[in-house]
Short mmCIF file of all heavy atoms in Angstrom, two decimals:
data_model
loop_
_atom_site.label_atom_id
_atom_site.label_comp_id
_atom_site.label_asym_id
_atom_site.label_seq_id
_atom_site.Cartn_x
_atom_site.Cartn_y
_atom_site.Cartn_z
N ALA A 1 59.65 83.27 148.67
CA ALA A 1 61.02 83.78 149.01
C ALA A 1 61.82 84.27 147.79
O ALA A 1 62.55 85.27 147.88
CB ALA A 1 61.77 82.68 149.78
N SER A 2 61.73 83.51 146.69
CA SER A 2 62.56 83.90 145.49
C SER A 2 61.70 84.00 144.24
O SER A 2 60.80 83.14 143.96
CB SER A 2 63.56 82.81 145.28
OG SER A 2 64.28 83.01 144.03
N GLN A 3 61.81 85.05 143.53
CA GLN A 3 61.11 85.28 142.26
C GLN A 3 62.07 85.12 141.08
O GLN A 3 63.17 85.75 141.06
CB GLN A 3 60.48 86.66 142.21
CG GLN A 3 59.44 86.87 143.32
CD GLN A 3 58.96 88.30 143.36
OE1 GLN A 3 59.22 89.11 142.46
NE2 GLN A 3 58.15 88.59 144.37
N ILE A 4 61.66 84.31 140.12
CA ILE A 4 62.50 84.09 138.93
C ILE A 4 61.74 84.71 137.74
O ILE A 4 60.65 84.29 137.37
CB ILE A 4 62.67 82.60 138.62
CG1 ILE A 4 63.27 81.84 139.85
CG2 ILE A 4 63.69 82.41 137.44
CD1 ILE A 4 63.19 80.33 139.68
N VAL A 5 62.35 85.73 137.18
CA VAL A 5 61.66 86.48 136.10
C VAL A 5 62.37 86.16 134.75
O VAL A 5 63.57 86.14 134.61
CB VAL A 5 61.80 87.98 136.35
CG1 VAL A 5 61.11 88.72 135.22
CG2 VAL A 5 61.21 88.37 137.65
N VAL A 6 61.47 85.73 133.81
CA VAL A 6 61.90 85.39 132.45
C VAL A 6 61.22 86.39 131.49
O VAL A 6 60.02 86.55 131.57
CB VAL A 6 61.46 83.94 132.11
CG1 VAL A 6 61.81 83.65 130.66
CG2 VAL A 6 62.16 82.98 132.99
N SER A 7 62.02 87.03 130.68
CA SER A 7 61.50 87.97 129.70
C SER A 7 62.15 87.83 128.36
O SER A 7 63.08 87.06 128.30
CB SER A 7 61.73 89.42 130.23
OG SER A 7 63.09 89.70 130.30
N GLU A 8 61.68 88.61 127.39
CA GLU A 8 62.33 88.51 126.05
C GLU A 8 63.79 88.92 126.22
O GLU A 8 64.68 88.29 125.53
CB GLU A 8 61.66 89.57 125.12
CG GLU A 8 60.18 89.29 124.89
CD GLU A 8 59.92 88.08 123.95
OE1 GLU A 8 60.88 87.47 123.52
OE2 GLU A 8 58.73 87.76 123.71
N LYS A 9 64.10 89.80 127.09
CA LYS A 9 65.54 90.26 127.23
C LYS A 9 66.37 89.14 127.85
O LYS A 9 67.45 88.90 127.40
CB LYS A 9 65.54 91.54 128.10
CG LYS A 9 66.97 92.04 128.30
CD LYS A 9 66.97 93.31 129.19
CE LYS A 9 68.36 93.83 129.37
NZ LYS A 9 68.40 95.06 130.24
N THR A 10 65.83 88.49 128.89
CA THR A 10 66.65 87.47 129.52
C THR A 10 66.76 86.26 128.66
O THR A 10 67.84 85.58 128.68
CB THR A 10 65.97 87.02 130.89
OG1 THR A 10 64.75 86.40 130.66
CG2 THR A 10 65.82 88.15 131.87
N ILE A 11 65.75 85.96 127.84
CA ILE A 11 65.81 84.87 126.91
C ILE A 11 66.95 85.12 125.87
O ILE A 11 67.74 84.20 125.50
CB ILE A 11 64.48 84.64 126.19
CG1 ILE A 11 63.44 84.16 127.26
CG2 ILE A 11 64.62 83.62 125.05
CD1 ILE A 11 62.04 84.03 126.64
N ALA A 12 67.04 86.36 125.36
CA ALA A 12 68.08 86.66 124.44
C ALA A 12 69.45 86.53 124.97
O ALA A 12 70.39 86.24 124.27
CB ALA A 12 67.84 88.16 123.98
N GLU A 13 69.56 86.73 126.31
CA GLU A 13 70.93 86.63 126.97
C GLU A 13 71.04 85.23 127.65
O GLU A 13 72.08 84.98 128.29
CB GLU A 13 71.02 87.71 128.05
CG GLU A 13 70.98 89.13 127.47
CD GLU A 13 70.94 90.21 128.54
OE1 GLU A 13 70.82 89.83 129.74
OE2 GLU A 13 71.02 91.36 128.21
N ASP A 14 70.06 84.34 127.40
CA ASP A 14 70.09 83.00 127.99
C ASP A 14 70.33 83.05 129.53
O ASP A 14 71.19 82.40 130.02
CB ASP A 14 71.17 82.15 127.37
CG ASP A 14 70.89 80.64 127.59
OD1 ASP A 14 69.74 80.29 127.80
OD2 ASP A 14 71.88 79.86 127.58
N SER A 15 69.54 83.91 130.13
CA SER A 15 69.71 84.11 131.60
C SER A 15 68.32 84.30 132.26
O SER A 15 67.29 84.24 131.59
CB SER A 15 70.56 85.39 131.86
OG SER A 15 69.90 86.52 131.37
N VAL A 16 68.34 84.42 133.55
CA VAL A 16 67.11 84.75 134.32
C VAL A 16 67.47 85.82 135.32
O VAL A 16 68.61 86.01 135.67
CB VAL A 16 66.59 83.47 135.05
CG1 VAL A 16 66.10 82.41 134.06
CG2 VAL A 16 67.59 82.87 136.02
N GLU A 17 66.37 86.52 135.72
CA GLU A 17 66.56 87.54 136.81
C GLU A 17 65.97 86.93 138.11
O GLU A 17 64.83 86.45 138.11
CB GLU A 17 65.83 88.83 136.52
CG GLU A 17 66.54 89.62 135.41
CD GLU A 17 65.83 90.96 135.19
OE1 GLU A 17 64.70 91.18 135.70
OE2 GLU A 17 66.43 91.82 134.55
N VAL A 18 66.75 86.88 139.13
CA VAL A 18 66.36 86.28 140.42
C VAL A 18 66.23 87.42 141.44
O VAL A 18 67.20 88.15 141.72
CB VAL A 18 67.35 85.16 140.88
CG1 VAL A 18 66.87 84.64 142.24
CG2 VAL A 18 67.51 84.16 139.88
N LYS A 19 65.03 87.57 141.96
CA LYS A 19 64.78 88.61 142.94
C LYS A 19 64.54 87.96 144.31
O LYS A 19 63.71 87.08 144.50
CB LYS A 19 63.52 89.44 142.55
CG LYS A 19 63.15 90.47 143.56
CD LYS A 19 61.89 91.19 143.17
CE LYS A 19 61.33 92.17 144.23
NZ LYS A 19 60.10 92.84 143.84
N ASP A 20 65.21 88.47 145.30
CA ASP A 20 64.94 88.06 146.74
C ASP A 20 63.87 88.90 147.24
O ASP A 20 63.94 90.11 147.34
CB ASP A 20 66.26 88.31 147.56
CG ASP A 20 66.13 87.85 148.97
OD1 ASP A 20 65.27 88.31 149.75
OD2 ASP A 20 66.90 86.95 149.37
N ARG A 21 62.74 88.21 147.59
CA ARG A 21 61.52 88.92 148.02
C ARG A 21 61.83 89.76 149.30
O ARG A 21 61.26 90.87 149.47
CB ARG A 21 60.38 87.92 148.33
CG ARG A 21 59.13 88.52 148.89
CD ARG A 21 58.47 89.54 147.95
NE ARG A 21 57.33 90.13 148.51
CZ ARG A 21 57.36 91.27 149.22
NH1 ARG A 21 58.51 91.93 149.39
NH2 ARG A 21 56.24 91.80 149.67
N LYS A 22 62.62 89.27 150.18
CA LYS A 22 62.84 90.03 151.40
C LYS A 22 63.67 91.28 151.24
O LYS A 22 63.33 92.34 151.73
CB LYS A 22 63.56 89.06 152.46
CG LYS A 22 63.88 89.74 153.79
CD LYS A 22 64.54 88.76 154.72
CE LYS A 22 64.84 89.44 156.09
NZ LYS A 22 65.49 88.42 157.06
N THR A 23 64.82 91.12 150.53
CA THR A 23 65.67 92.31 150.36
C THR A 23 65.39 93.15 149.17
O THR A 23 65.78 94.28 149.02
CB THR A 23 67.14 91.85 150.22
OG1 THR A 23 67.32 91.11 149.05
CG2 THR A 23 67.51 90.98 151.45
N GLY A 24 64.65 92.54 148.16
CA GLY A 24 64.39 93.25 146.92
C GLY A 24 65.57 93.23 145.91
O GLY A 24 65.46 93.77 144.86
N LYS A 25 66.65 92.55 146.32
CA LYS A 25 67.80 92.51 145.48
C LYS A 25 67.54 91.63 144.28
O LYS A 25 67.06 90.52 144.33
CB LYS A 25 69.02 91.95 146.27
CG LYS A 25 70.26 91.84 145.49
CD LYS A 25 71.44 91.25 146.31
CE LYS A 25 72.72 91.09 145.51
NZ LYS A 25 73.78 90.49 146.30
N VAL A 26 67.93 92.21 143.11
CA VAL A 26 67.73 91.45 141.77
C VAL A 26 69.10 91.08 141.24
O VAL A 26 69.97 91.99 141.15
CB VAL A 26 66.92 92.30 140.80
CG1 VAL A 26 66.76 91.53 139.49
CG2 VAL A 26 65.52 92.67 141.42
N GLU A 27 69.26 89.86 140.84
CA GLU A 27 70.55 89.38 140.27
C GLU A 27 70.26 88.73 138.97
O GLU A 27 69.41 87.85 138.87
CB GLU A 27 71.27 88.46 141.20
CG GLU A 27 72.59 87.98 140.73
CD GLU A 27 73.26 87.05 141.79
OE1 GLU A 27 72.58 86.63 142.75
OE2 GLU A 27 74.42 86.64 141.59
N LYS A 28 71.02 89.10 137.90
CA LYS A 28 70.85 88.39 136.64
C LYS A 28 71.88 87.27 136.57
O LYS A 28 73.08 87.45 136.78
CB LYS A 28 71.12 89.38 135.48
CG LYS A 28 70.84 88.76 134.11
CD LYS A 28 70.90 89.77 132.97
CE LYS A 28 69.76 90.75 133.05
NZ LYS A 28 69.78 91.69 131.89
N ILE A 29 71.39 86.05 136.29
CA ILE A 29 72.24 84.89 136.33
C ILE A 29 72.04 84.07 135.02
O ILE A 29 70.93 83.94 134.53
CB ILE A 29 71.87 83.97 137.53
CG1 ILE A 29 71.92 84.75 138.87
CG2 ILE A 29 72.79 82.78 137.61
CD1 ILE A 29 71.45 83.95 140.03
N LYS A 30 73.14 83.60 134.52
CA LYS A 30 73.06 82.76 133.30
C LYS A 30 72.21 81.47 133.66
O LYS A 30 72.32 80.99 134.76
CB LYS A 30 74.45 82.37 132.82
CG LYS A 30 75.24 83.44 132.23
CD LYS A 30 74.64 83.88 130.80
CE LYS A 30 75.43 84.97 130.16
NZ LYS A 30 74.82 85.38 128.91
N LEU A 31 71.38 81.12 132.73
CA LEU A 31 70.48 79.97 133.02
C LEU A 31 71.22 78.72 133.45
O LEU A 31 70.77 78.08 134.40
CB LEU A 31 69.63 79.67 131.78
CG LEU A 31 68.61 78.53 131.86
CD1 LEU A 31 67.58 78.89 132.93
CD2 LEU A 31 67.95 78.26 130.54
N LYS A 32 72.34 78.41 132.79
CA LYS A 32 73.07 77.24 133.15
C LYS A 32 73.63 77.28 134.62
O LYS A 32 73.50 76.30 135.31
CB LYS A 32 74.25 77.02 132.16
CG LYS A 32 75.08 75.75 132.37
CD LYS A 32 76.11 75.59 131.31
CE LYS A 32 76.94 74.35 131.52
NZ LYS A 32 77.99 74.14 130.50
N GLU A 33 74.11 78.44 134.97
CA GLU A 33 74.61 78.64 136.31
C GLU A 33 73.46 78.55 137.34
O GLU A 33 73.59 77.94 138.38
CB GLU A 33 75.26 80.00 136.43
CG GLU A 33 75.86 80.29 137.78
CD GLU A 33 76.46 81.70 137.90
OE1 GLU A 33 76.58 82.33 136.82
OE2 GLU A 33 76.78 82.09 139.02
N PHE A 34 72.29 79.16 136.99
CA PHE A 34 71.13 79.13 137.93
C PHE A 34 70.73 77.70 138.13
O PHE A 34 70.41 77.31 139.29
CB PHE A 34 70.02 79.97 137.35
CG PHE A 34 68.76 79.82 138.07
CD1 PHE A 34 68.57 80.43 139.34
CD2 PHE A 34 67.63 79.06 137.61
CE1 PHE A 34 67.43 80.27 140.05
CE2 PHE A 34 66.47 78.93 138.22
CZ PHE A 34 66.30 79.53 139.49
N LEU A 35 70.58 76.90 137.07
CA LEU A 35 70.15 75.57 137.20
C LEU A 35 71.14 74.68 138.03
O LEU A 35 70.74 73.80 138.71
CB LEU A 35 69.95 74.91 135.81
CG LEU A 35 68.73 75.50 135.08
CD1 LEU A 35 68.68 74.88 133.66
CD2 LEU A 35 67.44 75.17 135.72
N SER A 36 72.46 74.99 137.89
CA SER A 36 73.35 74.23 138.70
C SER A 36 73.29 74.57 140.14
O SER A 36 73.53 73.78 141.05
CB SER A 36 74.82 74.52 138.17
OG SER A 36 75.22 75.85 138.45
N GLN A 37 72.89 75.86 140.43
CA GLN A 37 72.78 76.32 141.83
C GLN A 37 71.57 75.71 142.51
O GLN A 37 71.63 75.31 143.71
CB GLN A 37 72.69 77.82 141.91
CG GLN A 37 73.94 78.54 141.55
CD GLN A 37 73.79 80.07 141.59
OE1 GLN A 37 72.70 80.61 141.85
NE2 GLN A 37 74.85 80.79 141.34
#
């Protein structure tokens, strides 16, 4: 259902990209916020 993408770019921004498999929507979220969610 959910894909969490980690790359050199997201690491530099201390974030992750979260993709909804159903809708294809991609959201960049700060790692701290993602972990709290």
